[in-house]
Amino acid sequence: MKRGIIVSFLVIAFVLTSFSLSACKSDGEDYSDIEVAPYFDEDLPSGVLEFTHLVLDSENCNRIIPLGAINPPGHTFPTDHIYLLQRAKDLPVYAPASGKVIYFHEPSAYGDRAVRIGVTNTMSYYLGHIFLSPEMKVGDTVAAGQQIGTTGNTSCVDFGVLNKNIDNGFINTKLPLTTIYGDKPLSYFIEPLRTQLYSLVIPPEAVGNPAFIYDEGVTDGVFAQDKVGSLSGNWFEEGAFAEGKYFEWEETLAFSYDVYYPNQIRIAIGKDIPFPNLAVINQDNPVNPGDVTVESGIVTYYLYNANNTYAGVPTDIRIGLMLVQMLSDTRIRVEIFWDTVSETKEFTDSSWYYQR
């Protein structure tokens, strides 16, 4: 196949238009103090979550973006939900499992909504960017396979699972409960549906192109990437949790990996800068964020535009460099220089400090 520059515009445009439950800014509540009731219904029986029906008919789902997608500033942190990319608008949306409607999210900027459905007293799932059936109300019971609405005004349906018993290992837990309790939606489907859905976890360049071989083995994806004592994972700018103030996406930073190519480093920053979605290429022999420690000293990453890639590899020229230093296990210093030729730089008074 002829190698060309493929701008991952579809992914970026899609995520930009995908205003998920966990991507919305806090409306003034401390995430750690939000009542658990709207996320789980303790009156439901115990049991096991099992998805027996597809959310979209097979012919209506083009591909799937797994857990861990990033697109700053709204998704600086890897996403705690997946995306079902639809082939058209106004397609039927079905309940993948029976359960009780426990919450409706307010209409998004696109006019569509999200619904959360409890299955057991510790497990629930949500679907976003759909036009819900008008007769649905909180407290209703839905059956697996029942149509609950149609696709909304974006190019995807958000799909997340909440598991009250999970421990995702986040170092700083001041995160939305959809993230704290986030689980792997595709893993709960019965066979052969699970295998069928895993086959749709493919990058955009693989769609309709049998000559493109994607064999990275990504299935569910990964969004919880915090690693104690290392750079890997989520960071908050110092002061983000001052009294009476809650973090905004502009105050976040993540050292992550490409959602389809886990060996490709990604850095997402919420600040208003020319290129907040950054890539690092393996040809530069970068230090893996999971291996960066306090003992590493100052680490230099050469930066590329992560929005322009082919098979996970940036196709444009270098756009800058980043200096990172772990000052302690929970505090780092960061500075970006839009310098395309220097091998390294020195920190200035314009550097930023992050913690977790």
Side-chain angles (χ1 to χ4, degrees), residues 10-331:
L10 291 177
V11 177
I12 303 306
F14 147 66
V15 179
L16 281 172
T17 57
S18 181
F19 213 72
S20 73
L21 292 174
S22 65
C24 298
K25 296 178 181 178
S26 168
D27 58 4
E29 296 176 299
D30 184 338
Y31 287 128
S32 63
D33 293 332
I34 292 178
E35 185 181 1
V36 177
Y39 295 83
F40 305 98
D41 189 330
E42 296 179 354
D43 293 331
L44 289 170
S46 59
V48 178
L49 175 63
E50 188 175 72
F51 292 137
T52 59
H53 289 73
L54 296 174
V55 174
L56 297 176
D57 290 322
S58 299
E59 64 273 18
N60 290 335
C61 187
N62 191 40
R63 66 186 183 91
I64 295 172
I65 299 180
L67 296 168
I70 56 175
N71 190 64
H75 284 304
T76 305
F77 292 159
T79 52
D80 51 24
H81 52 279
I82 67 174
Y83 303 98
L84 309 177
L85 272 68
Q86 63 213 42
R87 294 185 183 275
K89 291 187 177 182
D90 300 322
L91 301 171
V93 175
Y94 306 99
S98 299
K100 177 182 176 183
V101 177
I102 58 177
Y103 182 74
F104 287 127
H105 199 270
E106 291 301 315
S108 73
Y110 305 100
D112 45 34
R113 302 185 71 179
V115 61
R116 192 174 299 130
I117 297 173
V119 179
T120 76
N121 54 10
T122 60
M123 298 288 292
S124 61
Y125 66 91
Y126 59 88
L127 297 169
H129 295 301
I130 60 178
F131 291 118
L132 295 166
S133 300
E135 66 274 10
M136 284 186 63
K137 61 183 183 299
V138 171
D140 282 353
T141 298
V142 299
Q146 174 185 334
Q147 183 175 347
I148 59 174
T150 58
T151 53
N153 284 328
T154 63
S155 59
C156 69
V157 172
D158 290 8
F159 184 19
V161 163
L162 301 176
N163 180 354
K164 192 176 180 181
N165 299 314
I166 204 168
D167 181 1
N168 281 312
F170 287 105
I171 297 172
N172 187 320
T173 58
K174 290 187 177 181
L175 295 163
L177 293 190
T178 52
T179 301
I180 295 298
Y181 296 128
D183 207 342
K184 303 173 180 179
L186 298 182
S187 69
Y188 287 98
F189 278 90
I190 62 171
E191 289 291 5
L193 298 181
R194 185 189 312 134
T195 298
Q196 175 185 334
L197 291 169
Y198 281 156
S199 72
L200 295 177
V201 180
I202 54 175
E205 52 264 40
V207 177
N209 186 357
F212 185 91
I213 305 300
Y214 176 70
D215 57 1
E216 292 293 321
V218 174
T219 52
D220 297 292
V222 179
F223 73 95
Q225 299 185 20
D226 286 4
K227 181 180 176 182
V228 175
S230 82
L231 194 59
S232 182
N234 300 340
W235 295 86
F236 303 88
E237 191 168 10
E238 281 190 338
F241 297 105
E243 184 177 355
K245 181 178 180 294
Y246 308 101
F247 85 85
E248 303 285 352
W249 287 111
E250 291 79 2
E251 300 166 324
T252 55
L253 169 70
F255 291 87
S256 181
Y257 304 91
D258 186 87
V259 68
Y260 293 110
Y261 299 91
N263 67 330
Q264 301 288 336
I265 298 170
R266 296 290 183 263
I267 303 171
I269 188 165
K271 288 186 174 295
D272 183 15
I273 59 177
F275 301 97
N277 194 2
L278 300 163
V280 177
I281 63 173
N282 293 339
Q283 289 177 326
D284 292 333
N285 297 314
V287 183
N288 189 303
D291 295 330
V292 176
T293 67
V294 173
E295 288 71 29
S296 300
I298 299 174
V299 175
T300 300
Y301 288 115
Y302 302 128
L303 304 176
Y304 299 80
N305 185 356
N307 292 350
N308 295 346
T309 64
Y310 180 85
V313 180
T315 54
D316 287 349
I317 63 173
R318 182 182 135 186
I319 58 175
L321 65 83
M322 171 183 278
L323 298 183
V324 185
Q325 182 179 12
M326 290 194 66
L327 305 175
S328 72
D329 285 352
T330 58
R331 187 170 185 257

